[in-house]
Amino acid sequence: MNHAYTATAEAHPNIAFIKYWGNRDHAERIPSNGSLSMNLRGLVTRTTVAFRPDLGSDRLILHGRPVGGQALARVSRVLERVRAWSAMGWYAEVRSENNFPTGAGVASSAAAFAALAVAAAAAAGLTLPERDLTRLARLGSGSASRSVPGGFVEWHAGASDENSYAESIAPPEHWALADCIAIVSAGHKAVGSSRGHRLAETSPYQPVRVADAPRRLNLCREAILQRDFAALAEIVEADCHMMHAVMQTSRPPLLYWGPPTVALMHAVRRWREQEGLPVAYTIDAGPNVHVLCPQEAAEVVRRKLAEVPGVQRVLVAGPGGPARVVE
Amino acid sequence: MNHAYTATAEAHPNIAFIKYWGNRDHAERIPSNGSLSMNLRGLVTRTTVAFRPDLGSDRLILHGRPVGGQALARVSRVLERVRAWSAMGWYAEVRSENNFPTGAGVASSAAAFAALAVAAAAAAGLTLPERDLTRLARLGSGSASRSVPGGFVEWHAGASDENSYAESIAPPEHWALADCIAIVSAGHKAVGSSRGHRLAETSPYQPVRVADAPRRLNLCREAILQRDFAALAEIVEADCHMMHAVMQTSRPPLLYWGPPTVALMHAVRRWREQEGLPVAYTIDAGPNVHVLCPQEAAEVVRRKLAEVPGVQRVLVAGPGGPARVVE
C-alpha cells in the first residue's frame, strides 16, 4: 500500500574492483580518487521513506529498532538535501532492512544509502536524473553512489558535489562474473569506514595511491569492457593491496585482516597459479574476502572457499541491477 | 687447534628495527636506504675459513654438507674481495653452522656473512678496521654488515662500496631489551631476500619509503639512545608496515605473512593497548614475528606468545656483541 509522500526502494551492495579510500572533502564526501565496482545481485537493502507532518525530527528504524547518533545524522544529511531540492518541509521516518550481515566487508552502508536516496527522492515527489541520485546517495556514504546505477559502475571523483557522481559503464548482462564472498566474521568492524577515510591522509603512501588511480581505473575499465578475466584479476588484486598498504601505514595503523583473511589470499593465489582456476581476491575495510570468478567456476570456488579454516559462510552474487523504487 | 691461513669466527643474527629493502646497486649491495638493528645474543653462526693451496675453487660446507650454486657464489664474492685486498692467492674451504633455524625470519645469512667476513680476513692475515669488515660482509648479504659491530648498529646506506658501512650506535649493555621470536614456520621462504630486494623497485611505494627513511632512522636512533620504549615501539611497527606494504604492492606481490603472523600482530597490539604490556612487533621477509620488550617483561611475553595458535616455538634473545675471531 503506497501513501503520498512515502516510497520504498531496493538497492544492492557493491564490491569495489578499484577502491575508494580517503576524501578530498569529508563533509561532501568528495573522494580522493575515482573508483569502480560491481553491484551484487541477491543481496538487497529495502528502505521505506515516509515524510510526515507529525514528526519533530527525522527517525531511523533499522531492522525494526530505532537508531540515533551518527547513523541517524548521516540519514538526515541525505534527507536535508532532498528537502533543499524539493518543496518538502516535513521530517521523515526511514525504515530499512538488509538480507545480509551488516558491517564486516559486505558494504551494507552502500546499499542502504543508495536505497535511501532513491526512496527519499521519490517520496518527496522529486524526479531526478540518475546522476543526481548518485550525488544524493554519496552524501550518506561515498560508495553508495556506486549502488545507484546498475551493473558495472564507475564513480568519477570530481572536485565538487556537482561533478562527483557515478554512472554505469556496462549493464549486469555484460559479463557473467560472480563474487564469492568468504565470510570469516559477521561482526562489526573495529574502525568504521567513515573514520578510516579520515586516516587515509596520515599514510605516506596515500598520495602515490591517489596519483596512480587513473591508471588503475583505465586498466580495470578496459578489462571489464573486454571481459578479460586475467587482466581484471591482476589489477583488482594490485589495487586491493595498494589500499590495505595505506590502511596499514596510517596513524594509527588499520589492520583489517584476520588470520583467515591471509589464509584465503594464499589459497586463492595457489588455486590460480597452481590449479589454473580463474580467481582473484579483493578485500574491503573488514576481514572478509571477496573472490571473483566467471560464473561457471562459482560452484567450485564456493566449495573450495567453504573448506578454508575460519570461513563461516560463503555468499555468491552475480552482477546486480540499479537501485529502484519498488512501491 | 689453529693452522696458518685458517680462522674461525662467530657472529649473531640481527633484528632490524628500521628495515633494509631494495638496493641502489645490486652487485655491490648498496642499499636504497639506511637501516638500524640489534644483534641477537644466544643465536650464533660459527664459520671457519681455511685458505688452502690444494683447492681448485672455493668450497662451502653448511652443517657438514657441501653446497654449491648461488650460496657458494655469494661466499666466493666475499673471498674474492679478501684476495684482492691481501696477498692471498689460494681458494678457501668454508665451513659454517648455525644454532638456530635457517631461512624464515631469523636472518641467518646476516650472521653467516658477518662471520665469514671476519674469519676470511683473519685467515688471510688481513687486519682490517671494523668499518672495512662491515663492507666485506655487505658483499655477501646486506644485513650482514650490521652483524659485524656489536649491540645496536646502524648501516649507513652510502652511495658506493667505500661509504656503505655499518657502525655501533650503542653497545649491548646500553639497553636491556629482548627480542622474543615467535616461530610459526621454520621452513625456507618462498621468495628469498636477494630476489625480493630486486622486486622492491617494482612497488609504487618504494620511493616514498626510501625518501622517508632518514626521518625514521632519526626517530629510532633517538628512541634507542634515550631508552624510550614507547617511541621505539611506534617507529619499529610503522617501519615494518612500510616495508611489508612495499612487498605486498610489488610485481609480483610478496605476501610473507601467514595466518599466525596476523594473529600475533593483533595479539601484540591488544597486549600493549589493553593490558599495558610494553611490546612491539616487527617482521622480516618471512612469517615469524619478532616481539620486542624490556628484558623484565620477556618471560611473560614468551609465555603469552607460546599460547597463540600457530606458534611452534619462541626464542628469546638480548642484545648481542660483535662478530669476533674465536680460534
Side-chain angles (χ1 to χ4, degrees):
Chain A
M1 199 170 63
N2 205 342
H3 301 278
Y5 310 122
T6 295
T8 297
E10 286 186 354
H12 303 297
N14 65 73
I15 177 65
F17 295 167
I18 302 297
K19 306 293 190 189
Y20 155 48
W21 194 246
N23 288 321
R24 167 198 283 236
D25 177 333
H26 290 291
E28 294 281 323
R29 294 188 199 269
I30 311 300
S32 302
N33 63 282
S35 52
L36 209 161
S37 60
M38 180 180 95
N39 284 348
L40 300 176
R41 190 178 61 218
L43 310 186
V44 178
T45 294
R46 165 179 274 241
T47 300
T48 299
V49 175
F51 288 101
R52 286 170 23 187
D54 60 318
L55 295 176
S57 62
D58 294 320
R59 278 192 202 166
L60 173 60
I61 295 152
L62 289 182
H63 292 277
R65 309 178 74 166
V67 172
Q70 272 301 112
L72 175 59
R74 286 167 75 182
V75 165
S76 279
R77 181 130 173 69
V78 175
L79 295 171
E80 283 296 344
R81 190 67 50 104
V82 169
R83 286 185 284 254
W85 284 357
S86 70
M88 175 57 63
W90 299 340
Y91 290 107
E93 182 179 272
V94 175
R95 292 180 170 268
S96 189
E97 293 186 0
N98 306 322
N99 72 346
F100 57 93
T102 301
V106 183
S108 61
S109 63
F113 284 101
L116 173 68
V118 168
L126 273 175
T127 308
L128 295 174
E130 184 181 79
R131 173 176 167 154
D132 291 342
L133 290 170
T134 73
R135 291 167 52 204
L136 206 47
R138 194 201 70 229
L139 293 174
S141 164
S143 56
S145 66
R146 296 190 314 250
S147 277
V148 172
F152 301 86
V153 178
E154 182 169 354
W155 173 17
H156 305 286
S160 70
D161 172 56
E162 283 72 28
N163 55 22
S164 185
Y165 68 96
E167 64 181 340
S168 177
I169 63 164
E173 313 76 59
H174 169 72
W175 195 5
L177 277 186
D179 178 12
C180 305
I181 311 168
I183 297 189
V184 302
S185 164
H188 269 275
K189 309 178 238 193
V191 176
S193 298
S194 287
R195 199 180 139 224
H197 284 294
R198 288 180 184 271
L199 291 182
E201 57 212 62
T202 69
S203 165
Y205 294 152
Q206 172 73 345
V208 174
R209 186 186 153 275
V210 168
D212 182 63
R215 182 189 69 87
R216 300 194 305 280
L217 283 164
N218 286 340
L219 286 170
C220 187
R221 199 188 305 109
E222 273 310 295
I224 290 169
L225 295 178
Q226 304 298 324
R227 301 185 193 90
D228 180 341
F229 189 83
L232 183 75
E234 185 171 347
I235 192 61
V236 163
E237 291 188 0
D239 185 83
C240 165
H241 279 295
M242 285 186 78
M243 178 178 74
H244 284 273
V246 164
M247 292 164 160
Q248 290 165 18
T249 56
S250 63
R251 296 180 60 168
L254 297 174
L255 182 59
Y256 284 109
W257 303 345
T261 314
V262 172
L264 285 159
M265 287 189 267
H266 285 294
V268 168
R269 212 179 282 181
R270 197 168 56 238
W271 299 339
R272 181 172 68 233
E273 290 169 8
Q274 292 171 24
E275 301 175 24
L277 207 59
V279 279
Y281 59 75
T282 187
I283 304 158
D284 281 344
N288 298 335
V289 177
H290 294 252
V291 180
L292 308 174
C293 64
Q295 272 172 26
E296 61 266 27
E299 184 47 31
V300 169
V301 171
R302 194 194 59 72
R303 267 205 308 268
K304 289 172 88 80
L305 287 172
E307 285 167 10
V308 175
V311 173
Q312 295 171 1
R313 197 177 155 196
V314 182
L315 305 174
V316 178
R324 63 197 179 95
V325 174
V326 292
E327 278 177 20
Chain B
M1 197 171 64
N2 205 341
H3 299 279
Y5 310 120
T6 296
T8 298
E10 286 185 355
H12 304 295
N14 66 73
I15 177 64
F17 296 167
I18 302 296
K19 306 293 191 191
Y20 155 49
W21 195 246
N23 288 322
R24 165 198 286 234
D25 176 332
H26 290 292
E28 293 281 323
R29 294 188 199 269
I30 312 298
S32 301
N33 63 283
S35 52
L36 209 160
S37 60
M38 180 179 94
N39 284 348
L40 299 175
R41 191 178 60 219
L43 310 186
V44 177
T45 294
R46 167 180 274 241
T47 300
T48 299
V49 175
F51 288 101
R52 286 170 23 186
D54 61 318
L55 295 177
S57 62
D58 295 319
R59 278 192 203 167
L60 173 62
I61 295 152
L62 289 182
H63 292 277
R65 308 177 75 165
V67 173
Q70 273 301 111
L72 175 59
R74 286 167 75 183
V75 164
S76 279
R77 180 130 173 70
V78 175
L79 295 171
E80 283 298 344
R81 189 70 48 105
V82 168
R83 287 186 282 255
W85 285 356
S86 70
M88 175 58 62
W90 298 340
Y91 290 107
E93 181 179 273
V94 175
R95 293 181 169 267
S96 191
E97 293 186 0
N98 306 322
N99 72 345
F100 58 93
T102 301
V106 182
S108 60
S109 63
F113 284 101
L116 173 68
V118 168
L126 274 177
T127 307
L128 295 175
E130 184 182 79
R131 173 177 169 152
D132 291 342
L133 290 170
T134 73
R135 292 168 51 205
L136 207 48
R138 194 200 72 231
L139 294 173
S141 163
S143 56
S145 66
R146 296 190 313 250
S147 278
V148 173
F152 301 86
V153 178
E154 182 168 355
W155 173 17
H156 304 286
S160 70
D161 172 56
E162 284 72 28
N163 55 22
S164 185
Y165 68 97
E167 64 182 340
S168 176
I169 63 163
E173 313 77 60
H174 169 72
W175 195 5
L177 277 185
D179 178 11
C180 305
I181 311 167
I183 297 188
V184 302
S185 164
H188 269 275
K189 309 178 239 194
V191 176
S193 298
S194 287
R195 200 181 137 223
H197 283 295
R198 288 180 184 271
L199 291 182
E201 58 213 60
T202 67
S203 164
Y205 294 152
Q206 171 73 346
V208 174
R209 186 186 152 274
V210 168
D212 182 63
R215 182 190 68 88
R216 298 194 306 280
L217 283 164
N218 286 340
L219 286 170
C220 187
R221 198 187 307 109
E222 273 310 296
I224 291 169
L225 295 178
Q226 304 297 322
R227 302 184 193 90
D228 180 342
F229 190 82
L232 183 75
E234 185 171 345
I235 192 62
V236 163
E237 290 187 1
D239 185 83
C240 165
H241 279 294
M242 286 186 77
M243 178 178 75
H244 284 274
V246 164
M247 292 164 160
Q248 290 165 18
T249 56
S250 63
R251 296 179 59 167
L254 297 173
L255 182 59
Y256 283 109
W257 303 347
T261 314
V262 171
L264 285 159
M265 286 189 267
H266 285 294
V268 168
R269 213 179 281 182
R270 198 167 56 238
W271 300 338
R272 183 173 66 233
E273 290 168 7
Q274 292 171 24
E275 302 176 23
L277 207 59
V279 280
Y281 60 75
T282 187
I283 304 157
D284 281 345
N288 298 336
V289 177
H290 294 253
V291 180
L292 307 174
C293 64
Q295 272 173 25
E296 61 265 27
E299 184 48 31
V300 170
V301 171
R302 193 194 60 72
R303 268 204 309 268
K304 289 171 88 81
L305 287 172
E307 285 166 11
V308 174
V311 172
Q312 296 172 358
R313 195 177 158 198
V314 182
L315 305 175
V316 178
R324 63 198 178 92
V325 175
V326 292
E327 276 178 20

